[in-house]
C-alpha cells in the first residue's frame, strides 16, 4: 500500500506542478486516504485499492486530454510570460521607455509572471477576493 501511495503522490505532485488548477485531484486523493485511515477492515482496504485504481485512471485520462487538446502547460506558461513582457514593453500600455531599459522590463516581467503563478494556484485566488 505504501509503494502505491508513494507512486500516486509523486505523479499527483507532477500534475499539480504542471497545472495548479488541478486541485480537485488532490482533494479526491485526500478523501480516499482519509476513508482508508478511518477504518482498515478488509472491505475498506479492498475499496481503497479500487478507488485508487480509478483515481489513477482519472489521472491518465487528464493527461491524455491535455495531450489531445494540445494543453501543454509549458507552452501556456511561455505564452503568459510573453504576453506580460509585450504588455510592459508596449508604447500604449507599457512602462515608460525613457525610464526602463529592455533588461529592466525583462526583470519586471519575470516578477509579474512569478506573482501570477504564486497568487493564482487556484481560481478564485486565495490572495485576492473578487468583488
Amino acid at each position: 500500500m505504501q509503494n502505491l501511495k508513494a507512486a500516486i503522490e509523486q505523479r499527483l505532485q507532477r500534475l499539480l506542478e504542471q497545472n495548479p488548477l488541478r486541485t480537485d485531484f488532490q482533494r479526491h486523493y485526500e478523501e480516499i486516504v482519509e476513508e482508508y485511515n478511518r477504518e482498515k477492515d478488509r472491505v475498506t482496504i479492498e475499496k481503497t485499492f479500487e478507488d485508487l485504481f480509478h483515481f489513477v485512471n482519472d489521472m491518465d485520462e487528464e493527461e491524455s486530454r491535455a495531450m489531445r487538446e494540445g494543453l501543454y502547460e509549458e507552452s501556456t506558461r511561455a505564452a503568459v510570460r510573453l504576453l506580460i513582457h509585450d504588455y510592459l514593453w508596449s508604447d500604449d500600455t507599457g512602462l515608460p521607455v525613457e525610464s526602463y531599459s529592455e533588461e529592466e522590463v525583462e526583470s519586471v516581467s519575470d516578477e509579474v509572471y512569478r506573482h501570477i503563478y504564486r497568487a493564482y494556484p487556484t481560481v478564485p485566488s486565495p490572495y485576492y477576493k473578487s468583488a
Side-chain angles (χ1 to χ4, degrees):
M1 182 67 170
Q2 291 302 323
N3 289 342
L4 178 59
K5 183 180 174 197
I8 289 174
E9 287 175 358
Q10 183 179 27
R11 188 162 172 206
L12 180 60
Q13 184 63 36
R14 188 175 67 242
L15 270 178
L16 291 172
E17 285 172 1
Q18 291 172 345
N19 184 347
L21 298 178
R22 292 174 170 154
T23 56
D24 53 330
F25 282 97
Q26 178 72 36
R27 275 192 302 275
H28 185 75
Y29 175 70
E30 289 170 358
E31 289 169 3
I32 293 170
V33 171
E34 186 178 311
E35 180 68 26
Y36 172 77
N37 287 332
R38 227 177 314 204
E39 294 188 35
K40 292 184 180 176
D41 61 12
R42 184 171 186 263
V43 173
T44 302
I45 292 171
E46 288 175 359
K47 183 180 180 323
T48 300
F49 274 107
E50 184 178 322
D51 289 346
L52 289 174
F53 177 75
H54 290 295
F55 182 76
V56 168
N57 283 339
D58 290 345
M59 286 194 300
D60 288 343
E61 288 178 26
E62 173 63 13
E63 287 178 333
S64 295
R65 181 193 67 81
M67 293 274 287
R68 188 173 54 251
E69 295 178 11
L71 302 175
Y72 303 104
E73 281 78 12
E74 294 81 19
S75 62
T76 302
R77 290 178 184 191
V80 169
R81 171 68 180 77
L82 182 60
L83 181 67
I84 293 167
H85 177 272
D86 290 349
Y87 186 87
L88 293 176
W89 192 247
S90 167
D91 289 336
D92 297 329
T93 60
L95 299 169
V97 176
E98 62 276 357
S99 301
Y100 291 90
S101 67
E102 185 166 2
E103 292 78 26
E104 290 171 317
V105 171
E106 286 288 330
S107 177
V108 171
S109 296
D110 288 342
E111 289 177 35
V112 171
Y113 173 81
R114 280 192 299 277
H115 172 76
I116 288 171
Y117 273 96
R118 186 176 53 249
Y120 292 94
T122 61
V123 175
S125 171
Y127 299 104
Y128 301 109
K129 302 271 187 212
S130 26

